[in-house]
Amino acid sequence: MKRISPVLLALSFLTACNQQNEVVPKGDILAQNRDTTVDPSQDFFMYANGGWVKKNPIPPAYGSWGIGNLVIEENLKRLRDISEKAAEAKAAKGSAEQKIGDYWATAMDSSKIEQQGLKPLQPYLDKIAAIKDVPSLVATVAELKSIGSSTLFSDYITQDDKNSDVMAYKLMQGGIGLPEREYYFKTDSATVAIRSAYTNYITRILTLSGEDSTKAAKDAQDILALETTLAKSSRKLEDLRDPYKNYNKMAIADLGKMSSNINWTQFLSISGVKNIDSAIVGQPEFFKALNTVLTTTSIEVWKSDLRFNLISDFSGSLPDAYGQASFNFSKLLSGAKERLPRWKRVIRAEEASMGELLGKLYVKEFFNETAKKRYSDMVEAIRGALKDRISQLEWMSDSTKQKAYTKLAAMKKKVGYPDKWKDFSAMEIGRESFVQNSINANLWWHHFYINKLGKPVDRDEWDMNPQEYNAYYNPSNNEIVLPAGIFTVPGYRDEELDDALVYGYGGASTIGHEITHGFDDQGRQYDEKGNLKSWWTKGDEEKFNKRADVMVKQFNAYEPVKGYTINGKATLGENIADLGGILLGIEAFKNTEQYKKGEKIAGLTPMQRFFLGYSLGWLGHIRDEQLRNRLLTDVHSPGKYRVNGPFVDVDEFYSAFPIKQGTPMYRADSLRVRIW
């Protein structure tokens, strides 16, 4: 996936000066974003983006700020307009407009939300209070999961890694409230402070819900101890990347041998899971540990844990005190100083509940067929570039190359928006309460996925909304999915952008990146049909891993914030995709008229504009709090290192810019990563 966090970046534009004998587009963004006082050899990211960074401080409500934010800000305003019109439309019940309008109106009615308090959650709080033993605990957990409050472990429906034509039920580690297991064990001052703030947050939520403050504080310490025990049995971030080691198929009848204290027949029945005889268990050792924790932890602690998680999970739909408590804790992870205004928070919730409904109305106005064709054609140009590069690989055998060609040719592209839209008619949305609409939406999604079991895989479905500033590669479908939002350069129509910028910004950092994911350390292990199946010779696998290790070591050496280095192994797939995307974007760009003519724009050669166009995709800056969090939890390197990191491995970079030997941006030829 190209990006995982919606809170990224934003953009402002100035007017560029015309230069003699050159055609300068309006307000040339690439020339103006630069900080020409920075030597490209020292820090190319700041050379490319530093001018903008200096002029655009991070707003108080955000932990990072850059180009993605302005895309998001533009889209938020568009979606707000759609929602407000729907709320006033008095549309027919069951229509998209009715659901969107009622959701918006109810979520924006803060007075009604304050008046209702915890009442909309009371039926579920009563069920938690009635828990008497482990069986009733597990049964309640199953019901709470269906409404969007997950505890104990993670479970979901997805394609079987080894048989992509079948939908499978997966069981994975979970049950912790902090973002990643390392938060429970690191001893630096920032992490210790986060653990302390987490127990204060738990205490605050339980106190707000009516619990005595002394008991709430003790419960918070007990919950932290419980989660720490679960974290000890959880695999590290980098260990979750191996698809074979995290694939353990077990018969449903044998799940009890792993966790006998869970009545799996009852749990699956309450969850609605049926039409299956097996499940895929990601981390069996976690479930064996959970089996013990279920009986060694008192029922009262479990009840407090479920109560806290339920209220926390719905804090954004509850009275303001709950949402403010959640924000006060989360800002230690994001660095944000202020909460977003209610209308922006509501749009985010609305997108999570029914984003494709919004997207269907969105694309009617904001993504035309000309733009869709431009990027669809670019996919084919970049696909062709990878085929050419594979043919020239000296380290790969012909037998593996032939299978790589087959996989590449079979890779499906989805550009802009779905050809077939999801049917939301069964989602019940009204004006009863914000919480109830959230519950109903979560129930709809729960049943949507549960109902896939035992049915053919729908390979036309999208897992992102058209308006999103994101993209992904799905190995089980062998497909790249490129929503309309990812190609947006704020303030510009698509036809105003030159090919050099577009091939760097959209071609390399998005299309080439996602295509390369099919051949990164994880993606390469899936065949052309999306099955986890070895199609490499043993010798080629060893050569790939040896070359990938060079990249692991390169990124391990980067220390974005003191005491926190990039995890080269955990970020390997994204780093490979970044480098591959750049190389493919360059090869495809070389076939364009702009590159062949070689004319400068705003004093920049076509190839310089390509590298600056790619850098534009990561323009922005980030607070240390959010940076530390991402370094522990994110499989993507920070934006600065997604520019500087792969560029030093690209030969054309050295011919495009005067990179001096012995400087930070110079990497000896013998040390450069050579994979695709």
Side-chain angles (χ1 to χ4, degrees):
M1 186 178 289
K2 186 190 175 193
R3 300 167 172 86
I4 76 166
S5 174
V7 184
L8 293 173
L9 317 163
L11 200 51
S12 64
F13 305 102
L14 304 172
T15 304
C17 298
N18 289 322
Q19 297 189 24
Q20 193 173 4
N21 300 323
E22 293 178 5
V23 178
V24 181
K26 71 171 186 181
D28 186 66
I29 183 173
L30 300 183
Q32 296 169 162
N33 283 343
R34 292 180 302 165
D35 181 351
T36 55
T37 68
V38 176
D39 185 341
S41 292
Q42 295 296 320
D43 184 343
F44 191 85
F45 177 87
M46 287 306 295
Y47 163 76
N49 296 323
W52 182 89
V53 168
K54 287 180 178 179
K55 298 170 185 173
N56 294 272
I58 301 172
Y62 295 86
S64 59
W65 193 248
I67 191 170
N69 275 100
L70 194 60
V71 177
I72 294 165
E73 291 297 309
E74 283 189 355
N75 284 343
L76 283 172
K77 292 173 184 175
R78 292 168 175 174
L79 296 174
R80 179 180 187 173
D81 185 55
I82 289 171
S83 298
E84 288 178 337
K85 288 179 179 177
E88 298 171 359
K90 298 180 180 178
K93 183 173 175 56
S95 65
E97 288 79 3
Q98 177 264 314
K99 295 180 192 297
I100 291 170
D102 283 0
Y103 190 101
W104 173 262
T106 306
M108 289 298 293
D109 190 348
S110 57
S111 296
K112 185 175 183 179
I113 292 169
E114 294 294 329
Q115 182 182 3
Q116 291 178 330
L118 286 178
K119 185 178 179 180
L121 284 181
Q122 198 58 51
Y124 301 98
L125 293 170
D126 291 343
K127 290 181 180 184
I128 293 172
I131 294 172
K132 301 297 183 185
D133 48 27
V134 172
S136 59
L137 165 68
V138 173
T140 304
V141 166
E143 186 169 355
L144 293 177
K145 280 178 177 288
S146 70
I147 67 165
S149 184
S150 182
T151 50
L152 292 190
F153 55 84
S154 175
D155 62 328
Y156 54 92
I157 312 299
T158 188
Q159 286 164 273
D160 188 322
D161 292 280
K162 294 187 177 181
N163 185 359
S164 64
D165 289 329
V166 173
M167 298 302 293
Y169 178 61
K170 279 196 175 183
L171 294 166
M172 304 288 281
Q173 65 190 39
I176 60 176
L178 291 172
E180 210 274 330
R181 74 178 299 279
E182 296 307 309
Y183 277 101
Y184 293 88
F185 308 115
K186 283 180 67 68
T187 57
D188 62 285
S189 59
T191 307
V192 171
I194 286 170
R195 283 198 294 272
S196 176
Y198 183 47
T199 57
N200 290 340
Y201 172 50
I202 297 172
T203 302
R204 176 65 174 156
I205 289 294
L206 293 177
T207 304
L208 284 171
S209 72
E211 194 170 293
D212 173 77
S213 59
T214 302
K215 183 178 185 303
K218 183 181 184 304
D219 287 344
Q221 292 297 331
D222 290 339
I223 290 171
L224 180 66
L226 166 61
E227 292 184 4
T228 302
T229 303
L230 294 177
K232 286 178 182 176
S233 302
S234 301
R235 293 184 186 177
K236 293 184 177 182
L237 186 65
E238 59 267 31
D239 296 329
L240 296 174
R241 288 195 56 76
D242 189 324
Y244 281 99
K245 291 181 180 178
N246 290 279
Y247 183 100
N248 303 277
K249 183 171 280 191
M250 297 179 64
I252 295 296
D254 290 337
L255 292 178
K257 297 177 182 178
M258 177 179 67
S259 298
S260 59
N261 289 318
I262 296 177
N263 184 332
W264 288 101
T265 300
Q266 179 192 46
F267 178 87
L268 296 177
S269 177
I270 294 172
S271 300
V273 175
K274 51 189 177 181
N275 300 322
I276 58 169
D277 55 14
S278 63
I280 298 170
V281 181
Q283 304 79 31
E285 71 278 10
F286 173 85
F287 288 89
K288 291 176 182 177
L290 175 62
N291 193 57
T292 300
V293 176
L294 279 168
T295 55
T296 56
T297 301
S298 77
I299 288 297
E300 290 305 311
V301 172
W302 280 116
K303 290 165 68 172
S304 295
D305 181 61
L306 265 60
R307 183 181 182 90
F308 160 68
N309 276 286
L310 175 65
I311 297 172
S312 179
D313 288 334
F314 286 93
S315 60
S317 309
L318 290 169
D320 193 62
Y322 295 94
Q324 188 64 48
S326 178
F327 170 75
N328 288 342
F329 169 64
S330 69
K331 68 184 181 182
L332 292 180
L333 302 171
S334 70
K337 310 301 181 187
E338 298 175 358
R339 286 181 83 190
L340 291 172
R342 171 172 287 276
W343 75 268
K344 289 186 178 180
R345 303 199 306 269
V346 169
I347 289 294
R348 287 185 174 182
E350 193 173 7
E351 285 196 281
S353 295
M354 56 182 80
E356 201 168 287
L357 265 186
L358 285 165
K360 191 173 183 179
L361 300 179
Y362 172 91
V363 297
K364 286 181 181 179
E365 294 188 53
F366 304 115
F367 193 75
N368 61 33
E369 287 297 323
T370 301
K372 183 169 184 173
K373 184 179 186 306
R374 182 181 196 178
Y375 294 105
S376 183
D377 290 346
M378 194 177 293
V379 172
E380 297 310 319
I382 292 174
R383 191 198 305 261
L386 180 53
K387 183 177 181 181
D388 290 343
R389 291 190 69 87
I390 291 172
S391 70
Q392 297 170 32
L393 293 177
E394 296 180 356
W395 60 269
M396 180 178 280
S397 68
D398 186 64
S399 62
T400 303
K401 284 183 179 180
Q402 295 304 318
K403 292 172 183 176
Y405 295 147
T406 300
K407 178 172 184 176
L408 180 61
M411 189 179 288
K412 185 174 182 177
K413 64 179 178 182
K414 296 178 178 177
V415 181
Y417 50 85
D419 294 321
K420 182 176 72 175
W421 300 88
K422 291 182 179 70
D423 179 4
F424 287 86
S425 59
M427 183 183 287
E428 289 292 331
I429 300 296
R431 302 206 177 191
E432 179 182 346
S433 76
F434 188 9
V435 168
Q436 193 59 53
N437 283 340
S438 299
I439 289 173
N440 290 348
N442 291 341
L443 278 168
W444 185 92
W445 282 107
H446 176 78
H447 293 304
F448 175 80
Y449 283 105
I450 290 293
N451 289 336
K452 290 175 178 287
L453 291 170
K455 297 177 182 177
V457 172
D458 183 359
R459 294 183 183 268
D460 294 324
E461 185 181 326
W462 281 50
D463 290 327
M464 271 183 188
N465 302 318
Q467 65 272 26
E468 285 190 53
Y469 187 65
N470 214 331
Y472 67 92
Y473 170 75
N474 178 357
S476 294
N477 274 354
N478 189 28
E479 66 180 5
I480 57 171
V481 182
L482 311 167
I486 193 61
F487 298 116
T488 304
V489 174
Y492 286 78
R493 296 192 306 273
D494 188 74
E495 59 269 23
E496 294 175 325
L497 305 174
D498 62 296
D499 278 342
L501 186 157
V502 169
Y503 271 81
Y505 180 77
S509 72
T510 300
I511 298 172
H513 175 97
E514 301 304 341
I515 287 178
T516 304
H517 268 316
F519 302 90
D520 68 17
D521 62 313
Q522 279 188 327
R524 72 168 189 82
Q525 299 186 70
Y526 293 79
D527 66 14
E528 76 279 2
K529 295 181 180 178
N531 295 316
L532 185 58
K533 178 181 178 183
S534 178
W535 50 272
W536 294 59
T537 67
K538 183 71 173 176
D540 288 343
E541 279 192 350
E542 291 174 353
K543 292 173 185 175
F544 176 93
N545 290 332
K546 185 176 181 180
R547 290 166 181 268
D549 283 343
V550 177
M551 178 164 269
V552 172
K553 292 174 184 176
Q554 177 188 339
F555 279 81
N556 277 342
Y558 295 132
E559 188 179 23
V561 63
K562 187 173 178 57
Y564 289 74
T565 58
I566 294 176
N567 186 330
K569 190 173 181 181
T571 58
L572 179 60
E574 297 298 333
N575 296 334
I576 290 174
D578 283 340
L579 176 56
I582 293 165
L583 296 172
L584 299 183
I586 287 171
E587 294 306 313
F589 176 55
K590 286 178 179 178
N591 293 321
T592 66
E593 286 300 310
Q594 182 180 3
Y595 176 79
K596 292 174 182 177
K597 288 181 179 179
E599 296 176 355
K600 290 184 178 181
I601 296 178
L604 299 165
T605 69
M607 191 56 74
Q608 287 175 331
R609 292 185 68 79
F610 171 88
F611 283 106
L612 291 168
Y614 175 88
S615 302
L616 174 64
W618 304 111
L619 176 146
H621 47 145
I622 182 171
R623 299 187 196 277
D624 283 351
E625 296 92 336
Q626 188 174 125
L627 182 54
R628 281 192 290 264
N629 181 43
R630 290 192 190 179
L631 288 167
L632 289 178
T633 64
D634 200 343
V635 295
H636 302 75
S637 298
K640 177 177 179 176
Y641 298 89
R642 300 187 73 172
V643 174
N644 290 354
F647 277 9
V648 301
D649 295 313
V650 178
D651 294 343
E652 285 85 353
F653 176 62
Y654 295 87
S655 57
F657 294 92
I659 305 302
K660 304 164 189 174
Q661 189 170 351
T663 60
M665 291 302 302
Y666 184 90
R667 195 168 182 83
D669 185 88
S670 61
L671 297 177
R672 294 175 196 171
V673 179
R674 309 285 189 186
I675 303 178
W676 296 109

